[in-house]
Amino acid sequence: MQDRAAVFTVFALNGLALGSWASRTPALSAQVHASPGVFGLALLGASAGMLAAASVSGRLIERAGARAVVAGSTAMAAASLVLVGFAPTVPLLAGALLVIGASVGMLDVAMNVAGVAVERRLGRPVMSVFHAGFSFGALAGSLAAGLAAGHGWSPARHLTVAAVVAVAVLLFIVRAVPGTRPEPTGTPVATPSRAPIRRPVLWLLAAVALCSAIAEGASSDWSALLMTVERGVGQGAAALAFAGFQLVMALARLAGPVAQRRFGPTRCLAAGAALAAAGLLAAAAIPVAA
């Protein structure tokens, strides 16, 4: 399998992991007998794991290469999916989510390093296509979650099957993933006139990224619970909310380069933020499930 298809599949596997467990939050919340507030504390485990992984991922890739980190982190994510499915209490669920957050965090960095290697070999931008692959994987995971919930599958059974599928796909494509290691440029870097922390534009961009992460996290982690608790739909139908979210995100990512060339990144950023705000407001205010 070519490296481009392999890296696209890795992005999709990462999305599959998210779509599989995030769409089962109503069942997981009931399984651990948690109120929405307590369940929200458990969800912090995934964020904490991703933060912890961010500090070590680069060093691991420098030592072992992107392919080895992709293989190890994907296998760890699959194992943690099983742990999430079988977690009987809130602390154990939080611990399982901590592991899945760490594994997905390492996979995020490694798959992007591999994606850059493919992009350099091709000589044209393809990262937006890879990121669309993540959304398509999450879409597939959420649709499978809806099907599993509709047929009465427990999270343990469903997430175990998802983990087995992920490992099987990994074994098929891992040899084609580039084994890239980040290379030093060898060019001396000029000392900036101002420390990065004192540059207002970086704080502004960080705020944009933070708000984007909050909006995406709210949609990913809470859409299924919103549908079941506040809108009164079944768990199978609730997964469709997250599926719709990921479908439109995938299409937007594929159209993103065209939109940026036509309208410029600043206008796209402003329009995307306005649409996101309108969507969150509508989801909270409109009582109709559809």
Side-chain angles (χ1 to χ4, degrees):
M1 180 179 288
Q2 295 182 350
D3 55 357
R4 181 178 177 180
V7 173
F8 181 90
T9 305
V10 170
F11 273 78
L13 287 178
N14 197 347
L16 177 72
L18 172 63
S20 295
W21 75 262
S23 299
R24 297 307 306 270
T25 50
L28 291 171
S29 179
Q31 179 173 294
V32 298
H33 309 289
S35 65
V38 174
F39 189 73
L41 293 176
L43 291 176
L44 286 175
S47 299
M50 292 189 73
L51 286 173
S55 62
V56 301
S57 299
R59 296 173 187 173
L60 287 176
I61 297 170
E62 286 179 354
R63 293 184 178 182
R67 182 190 300 124
V69 177
V70 162
S73 57
T74 303
M76 188 167 72
S80 57
L81 274 180
V82 179
L83 295 178
V84 168
F86 281 93
T89 64
V90 171
L92 290 177
L93 177 62
L97 289 174
L98 178 72
V99 177
I100 202 170
S103 56
V104 166
M106 286 188 288
L107 179 57
D108 278 340
V109 179
M111 71 187 189
N112 276 282
V113 170
V116 169
V118 173
E119 196 170 56
R120 288 177 176 172
R121 182 185 66 78
L122 294 175
R124 64 179 187 274
V126 292
M127 287 299 293
S128 61
V129 176
F130 290 150
H131 283 277
F134 174 90
S135 295
F136 282 123
L139 172 63
S142 58
L143 289 176
L147 187 64
H151 284 77
W153 281 26
S154 67
R157 183 181 182 186
H158 163 221
L159 295 180
T160 299
V161 171
V164 171
V165 171
V167 171
V169 173
L170 172 68
L171 293 175
F172 182 72
I173 59 95
V174 68
R175 290 184 179 274
V177 176
T180 307
R181 290 179 172 86
E183 297 179 0
T185 61
T187 303
V189 178
T191 303
S193 58
R194 299 175 63 187
I197 198 172
R198 295 182 180 179
R199 300 178 66 183
V201 67
L202 294 183
W203 286 98
L204 178 60
L205 290 173
V208 170
L210 175 64
C211 292
S212 177
I214 291 173
E216 184 175 355
S219 302
S220 300
D221 296 346
W222 293 102
S223 58
L225 272 173
L226 173 71
M227 294 288 281
T228 56
V229 177
E230 300 291 337
R231 302 296 181 260
V233 304
Q235 292 186 16
L240 296 179
F242 182 70
F245 172 75
Q246 290 295 338
L247 174 62
V248 177
M249 180 179 285
L251 296 177
R253 281 172 165 164
L254 290 175
V258 177
Q260 287 192 53
R261 285 194 297 268
R262 182 169 182 179
F263 302 107
T266 303
R267 290 181 179 178
C268 289
L269 175 62
L275 283 172
L280 285 173
L281 181 61
I286 297 176
V288 181

